[in-house]
Amino acid sequence: GAWGTAIARHLSIKGFPVRIWCNETETSDSIKKNHVNSVFLPDILLPETLEATTDLPEIIRNTSILLAAAPSQFTRRIARIMNPEITNEHILVILTKGIEQNSLALMSEIFQQELVNMPKIAVLSGPTFAREVAQDLPSAAVLACNDKQTGNLLQEILHSERFRIYKSKDLIGVQLGGALKNVIAITSGIADGMKLGMNARAALICRGIAEMTRFGIVLGGQWETFVGMSGIGDLILTATGNLSRNYTLGQKLGRGLPIE
């Protein structure tokens, strides 16, 4: 998708050997032959050094750091494909934002449930529209990792002058912030679609972060996380920006269009 492609481009430009896994052969061919992801970021030129493949097990066998950006509804299936190949020596960085339907599992919990050999796990989240990161516009995110050495290594790898990385140990709070803000963003879009005014939108965002914080603390997150980059930072972006799919959905609902 767009986010995985943007991060792959970012790391490739920094000089790291990067291989991106694509579910569709057409996407892989587009990246290899034309150096663009024709479906998700068609106007962003990718480095010629960025490789692409449809063979996920082969990538895992030959890569030490894995960054998982598949949509949340496919994460469990992806984890099961990864399971035979992954080892305790791997580092797994979760880029996906979401909570699994029915099980209500966080993405880190899905991997913990499905992987026999547990890699070192980290989570990257924050106010990061993929297109703007791919355009090298200034952005920032939070990297949550319980292992200090791994966190330091990942911060050094991901950080750049245009992409600032803050560290945290709150894997639960960082993941919840990235998921819960989507609900508030939809209501923010609804308010704007109904032309209720900027006062109403500000009130929704303010009370939204209060509700997200209370909810997150009950589930084991830390208060500081929700008033930081992966909490209120991500919420402000998603609840006000026209590049936000959730905000745009809310706008259209607010104007009276049916959910279909």
Side-chain angles (χ1 to χ4, degrees):
W3 185 217
T5 302
I7 290 293
R9 175 189 177 275
H10 168 69
L11 292 171
S12 187
I13 286 175
K14 285 197 68 180
F16 295 103
V18 181
R19 306 184 73 188
I20 186 168
W21 172 72
C22 308
N23 189 47
E24 300 87 2
T25 303
E26 305 92 295
T27 307
S28 175
D29 289 343
S30 174
I31 293 173
K32 287 189 287 188
K33 295 175 183 177
N34 304 316
H35 310 298
V36 293
N37 185 330
S38 57
V39 177
F40 293 102
L41 287 173
D43 57 335
I44 300 293
L45 188 64
L46 303 174
E48 294 185 10
T49 54
L50 178 59
E51 300 180 11
T53 179
T54 55
D55 189 341
L56 181 55
E58 191 273 336
I59 276 191
I60 297 169
R61 284 193 296 270
N62 295 284
T63 309
S64 57
I65 300 176
L66 305 166
L67 294 96
S72 56
Q73 65 267 31
F74 300 122
T75 295
R76 191 173 293 276
R77 180 164 66 89
I78 297 298
R80 289 172 179 170
I81 296 173
M82 294 168 64
N83 184 48
E85 304 294 342
I86 203 160
T87 70
N88 303 108
E89 299 301 316
H90 279 97
I91 296 173
L92 175 63
V93 186
I94 299 169
L95 307 182
T96 305
K97 297 177 181 179
I99 297 171
E100 188 178 41
Q101 292 188 20
N102 300 320
S103 75
L104 302 182
L106 298 175
M107 299 301 104
S108 63
E109 293 172 333
I110 292 175
F111 284 109
Q112 287 163 353
Q113 292 165 8
E114 296 293 339
L115 300 181
V116 175
N117 298 313
M118 190 52 52
K120 297 181 180 66
I121 288 183
V123 175
L124 183 71
S125 188
T128 49
F129 284 148
R131 172 166 298 280
E132 294 193 358
V133 172
Q135 291 171 326
D136 295 319
L137 294 173
S139 303
V142 174
L143 177 79
C145 184
N146 287 327
D147 183 80
K148 184 177 181 179
Q149 185 176 357
T150 302
N152 289 341
L153 172 66
L154 292 172
Q155 183 184 40
E156 182 178 344
I157 289 172
L158 287 161
H159 186 92
S160 74
E161 290 184 354
R162 293 298 184 99
F163 192 48
R164 185 172 183 85
I165 303 297
Y166 295 89
K167 287 193 303 180
S168 169
K169 293 184 178 180
D170 185 9
L171 271 78
I172 293 175
V174 169
Q175 288 180 91
L176 285 173
L180 298 175
K181 52 87 181 177
N182 289 329
V183 182
I184 312 302
I186 294 172
T187 66
S188 175
I190 290 172
D192 281 355
M194 295 175 67
K195 301 187 185 306
L196 298 182
M198 288 185 281
N199 292 352
R201 184 174 69 182
L204 274 169
I205 292 173
C206 179
R207 297 314 304 163
I209 192 64
E211 184 172 318
M212 286 168 55
T213 303
R214 290 197 300 269
F215 189 88
I217 289 173
V218 168
L219 292 183
Q222 299 170 7
W223 174 85
E224 295 86 351
T225 302
F226 293 93
V227 295
M229 197 66 67
S230 60
I232 195 169
D234 202 1
L235 174 61
I236 290 171
L237 179 73
T238 314
T240 61
N242 289 327
L243 287 177
S244 166
R245 291 172 297 175
N246 293 284
Y247 173 76
T248 302
L249 169 66
Q251 270 190 322
K252 293 178 179 180
L253 290 173
R255 292 202 300 264
L257 293 177
I259 188 68
E260 292 76 16

